[in-house]
Amino acid sequence: MIGKQIKGTGFRGCLNYVLGKKDATLIGGTMCGQTPEELAAEFAIARQLRPNLKVAVFHATLSVDSTEKIEDSEENDQRWLAIAANYMKAMEFDNNQYAVVKHSDTEHDHIHIVASRICLDGGVVDDSWDYYKSQETIRQLERNYNLETVTPSWETDKRAQTTGEHRYLQSKGNQSVRVQLQDLIDEVTQDNPSMPEFVERLQQQGVEVQVGLTQTGIGFSKGISYNLDGVALSGTQLGKAYTFSGLQKHRGVSYDKGRDNALIEALMQPQHLAIVPSEAEENELESSQSELVASAPATANELELSQSELETTAPATSATANELESSQSELVAGAPATSATANELELQLSILPERNETQWQKVRSHLAVEYSLPFELLNLLHSHSWLYAGSEKAVFTARTLDGEARFAFVLDELGNFTTTHPLSSEAAFWVATTGEIERAVIACNPIEALSILLIEQDNSTTAPATLYLGIERASQLPIQFLQELDSVIIAIAENSQLARNARSLLPDAQLVNPPSSWNDIWIQLIEQEQQTPKQNNQQYKRHTQDLELD
């Protein structure tokens, strides 16, 4: 059995797609509605429990081999409903709205499950490592229902995952944007659509598509590119089956210049983008008349850095230094309290190692070269005194959640951390992403915490607003605050005792054991993307532009 899952922001566009296909049948679920409009309105009612959650849609597809299709339709539907119920329970959607739609338009019998990540008690299903969880669940379902593992015939037409993507999948369980786009395109081309239909279906799933002339070695030809969650990839980057010509040759997409060009051009006009997430949300909210907030995808232009938080978002359009500076005065509702004033900060720093600004450039270069931390990120941390040079060493300040500096992590040139503890309190090195904090990830030092943040940003995960903490001792954790979050992940590498201590204080937390340090994983991701080992700081700068931190 093949299983895929995609997260999104708009129920209406997703429902229009799965119920709009030929031979689509709503066979069950936990909802009363029968049409996309009715189901979207029903989803919107529960969405009022989490009006600020942007990525609320969970869309899964389960498919069996053609030889395993049960001819009796009623018996087939009942088997699919049982599989769907078991799958959703294993994926922890046992208190959520979801609808099950069967498609019979291909030889491979398959179902779509459209679900809300918002639980009926107001909680949110954590989507961290859900790809890994899904694959484990599918293997168990295959055993329970005597199903065979299916390898699609078109799998060889995909560009294989890079080593970095593979390592990231092993450590995180999340699909990269490239894999998500490949899966989406595979899904929407199952019934051999025309090129305009193909473009429109991807738009309904929140993918921006651009079709135009691209230069080749012998002239110009039609090219196609895709943008999902702010990450743009060409067809060639996805694989030969996803180029403009490859879609026709390998995926059965029909194209007629005279018939299709005008339609494609019209679809790419701004007024035709009502199906992208932001306006899909607005349509959905209008139909339910119960929500007032449109949920356009976050972009890096929303990047904010307040006195107490490092605010970052998934890569999208570039945020200029001026935009970052102007956003420093903005506060994020629901996030930990603002940091101390300048006078208070000066007092706090008096208990920390002495600053030596003449050594900052040297310290910054060392962090960039040895740990692949982007210059822009280091400068932002430095501008708020969360990182500075003490003698020739890097000093990371440990703060309480209300921003009071209590001690420091000191990193020497050999990579060893020592800490100063003038004040005993719940204080850690931490940064947080935009929004009301719903999730926390705990690492064993500041470098590890920043590496996890960068890995998640680089792979465009749809995680909710997250607090990333670096600690030396479990007693430094703000336990009461963490116990109130929807999800806490202990991602402590190479220090099993610290992980056990943290787990004893947070027994409901999820424990993740990476194969190596998170910084090693981050460096490997960069090297794979660059295709050659990094040679100088200029290459780091190019990569930080990809992260949209410049």
Side-chain angles (χ1 to χ4, degrees):
M1 183 165 63
I2 298 172
K4 306 171 188 175
Q5 65 282 328
I6 301 162
K7 274 81 68 178
T9 60
F11 286 104
R12 185 65 174 275
C14 185
L15 291 165
N16 282 340
Y17 167 70
V18 300
L19 287 169
K21 293 287 291 291
K22 182 181 178 181
D23 297 326
T25 306
L26 179 65
I27 62 172
T30 61
M31 306 177 71
C32 299
Q34 298 294 311
T35 67
E37 295 79 8
E38 292 171 348
L39 290 168
E42 201 170 336
F43 275 123
I45 293 172
R47 195 161 193 172
Q48 294 178 83
L49 298 171
R50 290 279 183 166
N52 295 324
L53 180 66
K54 292 181 178 179
V55 184
V57 182
F58 177 84
H59 176 195
T61 307
L62 303 178
S63 174
V64 297
D65 186 82
S66 58
T67 61
E68 297 176 306
K69 183 175 180 178
I70 300 176
E71 294 302 325
D72 180 85
S73 60
E74 184 175 350
E75 183 182 355
N76 193 32
D77 289 354
Q78 290 304 312
R79 181 182 71 163
W80 271 125
L81 285 175
I83 290 174
N86 290 335
Y87 177 82
M88 295 302 282
K89 183 176 181 180
M91 295 296 289
E92 301 181 14
F93 284 82
D94 49 2
N95 189 26
N96 299 68
Q97 298 168 308
Y98 70 86
V100 183
V101 179
K102 185 179 75 172
H103 284 183
S104 303
D105 56 337
T106 69
E107 63 177 10
H108 291 280
D109 206 16
H110 63 283
I111 60 169
H112 293 259
I113 306 172
V114 181
S116 173
R117 291 181 55 225
I118 302 170
C119 305
L120 297 178
D121 61 3
V124 177
V125 176
D126 183 18
D127 64 353
S128 302
W129 296 277
D130 63 348
Y131 183 77
Y132 174 80
K133 187 189 303 181
S134 177
Q135 293 306 304
E136 290 294 304
T137 300
I138 288 169
R139 299 290 84 80
Q140 185 60 50
L141 289 172
E142 289 169 347
R143 292 188 288 269
N144 293 347
Y145 291 89
N146 296 316
L147 301 172
E148 294 184 7
T149 300
V150 180
T151 302
S153 61
W154 37 260
E155 191 69 36
T156 55
D157 297 330
K158 288 185 177 182
R159 174 163 290 191
Q161 292 185 32
T162 65
T163 302
E165 286 174 322
H166 180 68
R167 287 179 181 274
Y168 180 74
L169 175 60
Q170 284 185 320
S171 64
K172 296 285 289 174
N174 284 15
Q175 292 173 301
S176 68
V177 171
R178 180 163 64 171
V179 175
Q180 290 185 58
L181 281 169
Q182 289 171 336
D183 287 349
L184 268 173
I185 294 169
D186 296 337
E187 175 60 34
V188 303
T189 56
Q190 288 190 27
D191 61 345
N192 308 119
S194 67
M195 193 64 73
E197 289 174 331
F198 167 73
V199 172
E200 187 169 19
R201 289 175 181 181
L202 285 182
Q203 287 176 334
Q204 288 175 337
Q205 295 294 310
V207 179
E208 181 183 342
V209 183
Q210 290 295 324
V211 177
L213 291 177
T214 182
Q215 188 169 12
T216 67
I218 57 175
F220 291 87
S221 64
K222 280 281 190 181
I224 191 166
S225 64
Y226 314 91
N227 189 311
L228 176 63
D229 293 335
V231 179
L233 295 168
S234 67
T236 302
Q237 289 174 304
L238 297 184
K240 64 181 181 179
Y242 306 94
T243 63
F244 193 81
S245 60
L247 289 167
Q248 299 166 64
K249 181 178 179 180
H250 300 284
R251 303 301 301 141
V253 177
S254 64
Y255 170 67
D256 180 89
K257 180 178 179 181
R259 179 195 68 188
D260 295 339
N261 278 1
L263 290 172
I264 293 171
E265 286 294 328
L267 285 168
M268 291 191 297
Q269 296 304 311
Q271 65 267 25
H272 238 296
L273 300 181
I275 46 184
V276 301
S278 59
E279 291 196 27
E281 289 295 311
E282 293 174 355
N283 292 338
E284 172 192 324
L285 300 184
E286 288 173 3
S287 67
S288 67
Q289 297 182 352
S290 62
E291 294 187 60
L292 299 177
V293 181
S295 56
T299 68
N301 286 332
E302 295 171 320
L303 195 63
E304 298 172 354
L305 187 59
S306 70
Q307 280 294 94
S308 64
E309 299 182 281
L310 171 64
E311 308 295 350
T312 60
T313 61
T317 56
S318 296
T320 66
N322 288 338
E323 289 171 326
L324 292 175
E325 290 172 4
S326 65
S327 66
Q328 289 174 5
S329 61
E330 299 181 31
L331 303 179
V332 178
T338 58
S339 64
T341 64
N343 289 338
E344 291 171 331
L345 183 59
E346 183 178 354
L347 176 62
Q348 291 166 16
L349 292 179
S350 67
I351 64 174
L352 303 178
E354 185 177 353
R355 301 172 68 103
N356 188 340
E357 287 301 313
T358 62
Q359 295 296 317
W360 167 240
Q361 296 299 325
K362 180 179 179 180
V363 167
R364 186 185 71 161
S365 295
H366 175 72
L367 293 172
V369 170
E370 294 299 323
Y371 304 99
S372 293
L373 299 180
F375 279 156
E376 288 77 8
L377 174 59
L378 296 173
N379 288 338
L380 289 173
L381 294 172
H382 181 252
S383 69
H384 291 274
S385 297
W386 302 341
L387 167 64
Y388 62 91
S391 182
E392 296 183 357
K393 299 177 181 179
V395 177
F396 296 83
T397 59
R399 299 165 293 130
T400 61
L401 289 185
D402 60 5
E404 183 180 356
R406 289 301 183 97
F407 64 90
F409 292 84
V410 181
L411 177 66
D412 64 26
E413 292 187 346
L414 298 178
N416 300 314
F417 271 106
T418 57
T419 55
T420 61
H421 297 282
L423 296 175
S424 177
S425 66
E426 293 181 346
F429 174 84
W430 61 266
V431 293
T433 55
T434 306
E436 182 178 355
I437 303 301
E438 300 177 18
R439 172 178 178 262
V441 180
I442 302 168
C444 61
N445 60 55
I447 295 291
E448 289 287 273
L450 293 173
S451 297
I452 296 174
L453 180 148
L454 290 167
I455 290 169
E456 295 200 328
Q457 296 298 306
D458 193 58
N459 285 268
S460 302
T461 65
T462 57
T466 300
L467 179 70
Y468 298 88
L469 303 104
I471 62 171
E472 181 201 32
R473 300 177 301 180
S475 60
Q476 294 163 357
L477 291 169
I479 298 300
Q480 184 175 354
F481 178 81
L482 295 175
Q483 288 174 338
E484 296 174 356
L485 299 182
D486 295 327
S487 172
V488 176
I489 299 162
I490 300 173
I492 294 176
E494 302 175 340
N495 193 331
S496 57
Q497 185 59 53
L498 179 59
R500 286 194 294 270
N501 292 343
R503 186 69 177 275
S504 67
L505 296 175
L506 297 163
D508 294 330
Q510 182 179 357
L511 192 63
V512 176
N513 298 309
S516 61
S517 78
W518 292 108
N519 188 247
D520 286 344
I521 295 171
W522 168 241
I523 292 172
Q524 289 162 359
L525 280 172
I526 290 181
E527 292 178 346
Q528 289 298 322
E529 290 177 8
Q530 293 174 338
Q531 296 183 345
T532 57
K534 51 192 179 303
Q535 299 294 329
N536 53 52
N537 288 337
Q538 194 62 33
Q539 289 181 311
Y540 299 130
K541 187 171 184 179
R542 287 200 296 271
H543 191 79
T544 57
Q545 290 172 348
D546 295 336
L547 292 174
E548 305 299 345
L549 291 173
D550 54 325

